[in-house]
Amino acid sequence: MEMYKITSDEIDVNQVITSVIRPEAGAINTFIGTVREFTGNKQTVSLQYEAYPSMAEKQLKRIGIEIREKWPNVQTSIVHRIGKLAISDMAVVIAVASPHRAESYEASRYAIERIKEIVPIWKKEYWTDGEEWIGDQLENTSYKNRVPKEEKE
Amino acid sequence: MEMYKITSDEIDVNQVITSVIRPEAGAINTFIGTVREFTGNKQTVSLQYEAYPSMAEKQLKRIGIEIREKWPNVQTSIVHRIGKLAISDMAVVIAVASPHRAESYEASRYAIERIKEIVPIWKKEYWTDGEEWIGDQLENTSYKNRVPKEEKE
Amino acid sequence: MITVLFFAKQQEQLGLDKLERAESQLAVAELKQKLIEDYPELSLDHTMTAINEEYADEDQMINDQDIVAFIPPVSGG
Amino acid sequence: MITVLFFAKQQEQLGLDKLERAESQLAVAELKQKLIEDYPELSLDHTMTAINEEYADEDQMINDQDIVAFIPPVSGG
């Protein structure tokens, strides 16, 4: 049974993986995003994730639907944690099950890229020398008037 | 601490994942190969995996070394189960941790492809109508005299 | 009456996460314009808008009882 | 004396997983030839050879005390 969830609890990886296991599947790709300590020279102390939870869960489901349109035999679960996280804590767990391995990699990669585009979740980094809400302003100059559409191949 | 192991026990996914988590990593890709029930029309009842364990573990380590040569900041663990497995049981778990997500996907994919080329593990399928050792004879006509070399880009 | 939600940086700029406003039948772009006038500390650059949890275009109409959310550049994952 | 290991299909063809043979200083190809003559039920097509757990070429020499393993096409994963 696919899961699309925003939670403030620690993510149970096994539960996410188990949710996509089926007899038709021979491959499960899991992507886990963890809190990294260093980005270049900047040292992260902790992270705060905030979400618009009800909309974020809808967007996660939408990613699952987009995936099934592209890879019909794939099952997807995505759980994203919010609140305060420490170094190496898991922020997001994606599990994708498919009959063959190629699609499991492709669909998993698609899921993480789409999360970074359309799911209303925001990260605030606390560094040793300050804090900042992350959001790639520079790469989104045309973002203002753009409704995210399903990606075309 | 990276793990390269052949085991006849059930694989503990969490343990494999935990073994590659580091403060420098922000991405962990996990690939799990499970026993698929149907391959085309053929229904699998169970599988038997056999290995040359001491050599197989050496080859798994070698894959880890190849990965670090290609993606220097990546940590890899691979555990392969042998013995009799049922539908949906996990046969192999690969975990790859890296600072950024792209390498984690690439290195994980590399690992599973190399396992299928150089690690002395054999699968016997038990179908509803027979049994057979799997091994892709057709695609390996030049296999006889070929020592597997490290892949070139 | 509509509800307007703010998140992340914009929530901190305003010091609040929610506004109730006595408006309806106005386009997203018009609401943005009014908010920027009323709250000079608020920046809505690079910000998408959702109406009732679905992304909306700048010219989409906002109706009575709608929940409008401003979505600054997301950074999950 | 050398030890020869068999796996999977070849182990079933022979009905044994291990042989001790009083040979040394012969090439992989020569050992294969002798085994095929001694065991007509054995096929070594598409089979790689390992000496002491490392893959070996057909012309590599096998020495006394070596462990030779025949590796039919692998199918792990």
Coordinates of all heavy atoms in Angstrom, one line a residue, chain B residues 41-77:
Chain B
N41 N 5.4 -15.4 -18.4 CA 4.4 -16.3 -17.9 C 4.9 -17.3 -16.9 O 4.1 -18.1 -16.3 CB 3.8 -17.2 -19.1 CG 3.0 -16.3 -20.0 OD1 2.4 -15.3 -19.6 ND2 3.0 -16.6 -21.3
K42 N 6.2 -17.4 -16.7 CA 6.7 -18.4 -15.8 C 6.5 -17.9 -14.3 O 6.9 -16.8 -13.9 CB 8.2 -18.5 -16.1 CG 8.5 -19.6 -17.1 CD 10.0 -19.9 -17.2 CE 10.4 -21.4 -17.3 NZ 9.5 -22.2 -18.1
Q43 N 6.0 -18.8 -13.5 CA 5.8 -18.5 -12.1 C 6.9 -19.1 -11.2 O 7.0 -20.4 -11.2 CB 4.4 -19.0 -11.7 CG 4.1 -18.6 -10.2 CD 2.7 -19.0 -9.8 OE1 2.0 -19.7 -10.6 NE2 2.2 -18.6 -8.6
T44 N 7.6 -18.3 -10.5 CA 8.6 -18.8 -9.6 C 8.0 -19.2 -8.3 O 7.2 -18.5 -7.7 CB 9.6 -17.7 -9.4 OG1 10.2 -17.3 -10.7 CG2 10.7 -18.1 -8.4
V45 N 8.4 -20.4 -7.8 CA 7.9 -20.8 -6.5 C 8.9 -20.4 -5.4 O 8.6 -19.9 -4.4 CB 7.7 -22.4 -6.5 CG1 7.2 -22.8 -5.2 CG2 6.6 -22.7 -7.6
S46 N 10.2 -20.7 -5.7 CA 11.2 -20.3 -4.8 C 12.5 -20.2 -5.6 O 12.6 -20.6 -6.8 CB 11.4 -21.3 -3.6 OG 11.9 -22.5 -4.1
L47 N 13.5 -19.7 -4.9 CA 14.9 -19.6 -5.5 C 15.9 -20.2 -4.6 O 15.7 -20.1 -3.4 CB 15.2 -18.1 -5.7 CG 14.7 -17.3 -6.7 CD1 15.3 -15.9 -6.6 CD2 14.9 -17.9 -8.1
Q48 N 17.0 -20.7 -5.2 CA 18.1 -21.1 -4.4 C 19.3 -20.3 -4.9 O 19.6 -20.2 -6.1 CB 18.3 -22.6 -4.7 CG 19.5 -23.2 -4.0 CD 19.2 -23.7 -2.6 OE1 18.1 -23.9 -2.3 NE2 20.3 -23.8 -1.8
Y49 N 20.0 -19.6 -4.0 CA 21.2 -18.9 -4.4 C 22.4 -19.7 -3.8 O 22.4 -20.1 -2.6 CB 21.3 -17.5 -3.9 CG 20.5 -16.5 -4.7 CD1 19.3 -16.1 -4.3 CD2 21.1 -15.9 -5.8 CE1 18.6 -15.1 -5.1 CE2 20.4 -15.0 -6.6 CZ 19.2 -14.6 -6.2 OH 18.5 -13.6 -6.9
E50 N 23.4 -19.9 -4.6 CA 24.6 -20.5 -4.2 C 25.8 -19.6 -4.5 O 25.7 -18.8 -5.4 CB 24.8 -21.8 -4.9 CG 26.1 -22.6 -4.6 CD 26.2 -23.9 -5.5 OE1 25.2 -24.6 -5.7 OE2 27.3 -24.1 -5.9
A51 N 26.8 -19.6 -3.7 CA 28.0 -18.7 -3.9 C 29.3 -19.5 -3.7 O 29.3 -20.6 -3.1 CB 27.9 -17.5 -3.0
Y52 N 30.3 -18.9 -4.2 CA 31.7 -19.3 -3.8 C 32.0 -18.1 -2.8 O 32.5 -17.1 -3.1 CB 32.6 -19.2 -5.0 CG 34.0 -19.6 -4.8 CD1 34.5 -20.1 -3.6 CD2 34.9 -19.5 -5.8 CE1 35.9 -20.4 -3.4 CE2 36.3 -19.8 -5.7 CZ 36.7 -20.3 -4.5 OH 38.1 -20.6 -4.4
P53 N 31.6 -18.3 -1.5 CA 31.5 -17.2 -0.6 C 32.8 -16.4 -0.4 O 32.8 -15.2 -0.5 CB 31.1 -17.8 0.8 CG 30.4 -19.1 0.4 CD 31.2 -19.6 -0.8
S54 N 34.0 -17.1 -0.2 CA 35.2 -16.3 0.1 C 35.5 -15.4 -1.1 O 35.9 -14.3 -1.0 CB 36.3 -17.2 0.4 OG 36.5 -18.2 -0.6
M55 N 35.4 -16.0 -2.3 CA 35.7 -15.2 -3.5 C 34.7 -14.2 -3.8 O 35.0 -13.1 -4.2 CB 35.9 -16.2 -4.8 CG 36.2 -15.4 -6.0 SD 36.6 -16.5 -7.4 CE 36.6 -15.3 -8.8
A56 N 33.4 -14.5 -3.5 CA 32.3 -13.6 -3.8 C 32.5 -12.3 -2.9 O 32.3 -11.2 -3.4 CB 31.0 -14.2 -3.5
E57 N 32.9 -12.5 -1.7 CA 33.2 -11.3 -0.8 C 34.3 -10.5 -1.3 O 34.3 -9.3 -1.3 CB 33.4 -11.8 0.7 CG 32.0 -12.3 1.3 CD 32.1 -12.6 2.7 OE1 33.2 -12.7 3.3 OE2 31.0 -12.9 3.3
K58 N 35.3 -11.2 -1.8 CA 36.5 -10.4 -2.4 C 36.0 -9.6 -3.6 O 36.4 -8.5 -3.8 CB 37.6 -11.4 -2.9 CG 38.5 -11.8 -1.8 CD 39.7 -12.5 -2.5 CE 40.6 -13.1 -1.4 NZ 41.7 -14.0 -2.0
Q59 N 35.1 -10.2 -4.4 CA 34.6 -9.5 -5.6 C 33.7 -8.3 -5.2 O 33.7 -7.3 -5.8 CB 33.9 -10.4 -6.5 CG 34.8 -11.5 -7.2 CD 35.9 -10.9 -8.0 OE1 37.0 -11.0 -7.7 NE2 35.5 -10.4 -9.2
L60 N 33.0 -8.5 -4.1 CA 32.1 -7.4 -3.7 C 33.0 -6.2 -3.2 O 32.8 -5.0 -3.5 CB 31.2 -7.8 -2.5 CG 30.1 -8.8 -2.9 CD1 29.3 -9.2 -1.6 CD2 29.2 -8.3 -3.9
K61 N 34.1 -6.6 -2.5 CA 35.0 -5.5 -2.0 C 35.6 -4.8 -3.2 O 35.8 -3.6 -3.2 CB 36.2 -6.2 -1.2 CG 35.9 -6.3 0.2 CD 37.1 -6.6 1.0 CE 36.8 -7.2 2.4 NZ 36.8 -8.7 2.4
R62 N 36.0 -5.6 -4.3 CA 36.5 -5.0 -5.5 C 35.6 -4.0 -6.1 O 36.0 -3.0 -6.6 CB 36.8 -6.2 -6.4 CG 37.2 -5.8 -7.8 CD 37.5 -7.0 -8.6 NE 37.5 -6.6 -10.0 CZ 38.0 -7.4 -11.0 NH1 38.5 -8.6 -10.7 NH2 38.0 -7.1 -12.2
I63 N 34.3 -4.3 -6.1 CA 33.3 -3.4 -6.7 C 33.3 -2.1 -5.8 O 33.3 -1.0 -6.4 CB 31.9 -4.0 -6.7 CG1 31.9 -5.2 -7.7 CG2 30.8 -3.0 -7.0 CD1 30.6 -6.1 -7.6
G64 N 33.4 -2.2 -4.5 CA 33.5 -1.1 -3.7 C 34.8 -0.2 -4.0 O 34.7 1.0 -4.1
I65 N 35.9 -0.9 -4.3 CA 37.1 -0.1 -4.7 C 36.9 0.5 -6.1 O 37.3 1.7 -6.3 CB 38.3 -1.1 -4.7 CG1 38.6 -1.5 -3.3 CG2 39.5 -0.5 -5.4 CD1 39.6 -2.7 -3.2
E66 N 36.3 -0.2 -7.0 CA 36.1 0.4 -8.3 C 35.2 1.7 -8.2 O 35.4 2.7 -8.8 CB 35.4 -0.6 -9.2 CG 36.2 -1.8 -9.7 CD 35.5 -2.8 -10.5 OE1 34.4 -2.5 -11.0 OE2 36.1 -3.8 -10.8
I67 N 34.2 1.5 -7.3 CA 33.3 2.7 -7.1 C 34.0 3.9 -6.6 O 33.8 5.0 -7.0 CB 32.1 2.3 -6.2 CG1 31.1 1.4 -7.0 CG2 31.4 3.5 -5.6 CD1 30.0 0.8 -6.2
R68 N 34.9 3.6 -5.6 CA 35.6 4.8 -5.0 C 36.6 5.4 -6.0 O 36.9 6.6 -6.0 CB 36.3 4.4 -3.7 CG 36.9 5.6 -3.1 CD 36.5 5.8 -1.6 NE 36.8 4.6 -0.9 CZ 36.0 4.0 -0.1 NH1 34.8 4.5 0.2 NH2 36.3 2.9 0.5
E69 N 37.1 4.6 -7.0 CA 37.9 5.2 -8.0 C 37.1 6.1 -8.9 O 37.6 7.1 -9.4 CB 38.6 4.1 -8.8 CG 39.7 3.4 -8.1 CD 40.2 2.1 -8.7 OE1 39.7 1.7 -9.8 OE2 41.2 1.5 -8.2
K70 N 35.9 5.7 -9.1 CA 35.0 6.5 -10.0 C 34.4 7.7 -9.3 O 34.2 8.8 -9.9 CB 33.9 5.7 -10.6 CG 34.4 4.6 -11.7 CD 33.3 3.7 -12.0 CE 33.8 2.6 -12.9 NZ 34.0 3.1 -14.3
W71 N 33.9 7.5 -8.1 CA 33.2 8.5 -7.3 C 33.9 8.6 -5.9 O 33.5 7.9 -5.0 CB 31.7 8.1 -7.1 CG 31.0 8.0 -8.4 CD1 30.4 9.0 -9.1 CD2 30.7 6.8 -9.1 NE1 29.8 8.5 -10.2 CE2 29.9 7.1 -10.3 CE3 31.0 5.4 -9.0 CZ2 29.5 6.2 -11.2 CZ3 30.5 4.5 -9.9 CH2 29.8 4.9 -11.0
P72 N 34.9 9.4 -5.8 CA 35.8 9.3 -4.6 C 35.1 9.5 -3.3 O 35.6 9.0 -2.3 CB 36.8 10.5 -4.9 CG 36.8 10.7 -6.4 CD 35.4 10.4 -6.8
N73 N 34.0 10.2 -3.2 CA 33.4 10.5 -1.9 C 32.3 9.5 -1.5 O 31.6 9.8 -0.6 CB 32.9 11.9 -1.8 CG 34.1 12.9 -1.8 OD1 35.0 12.7 -1.1 ND2 34.0 13.9 -2.7
V74 N 32.3 8.4 -2.2 CA 31.1 7.5 -2.0 C 31.5 6.3 -1.1 O 32.7 5.9 -1.1 CB 30.7 7.0 -3.4 CG1 29.9 5.7 -3.3 CG2 29.9 8.0 -4.1
Q75 N 30.6 5.9 -0.2 CA 30.8 4.7 0.6 C 29.8 3.7 0.2 O 28.6 4.0 0.0 CB 30.5 5.1 2.1 CG 31.5 6.1 2.7 CD 32.6 5.4 3.5 OE1 32.5 4.3 3.9 NE2 33.7 6.2 3.7
T76 N 30.2 2.5 0.1 CA 29.3 1.4 -0.4 C 29.3 0.2 0.6 O 30.3 -0.2 1.1 CB 29.9 0.9 -1.8 OG1 30.1 2.0 -2.6 CG2 29.0 -0.1 -2.4
S77 N 28.1 -0.4 0.7 CA 28.0 -1.7 1.4 C 27.1 -2.6 0.6 O 26.2 -2.1 0.0 CB 27.4 -1.5 2.8 OG 28.3 -1.0 3.7

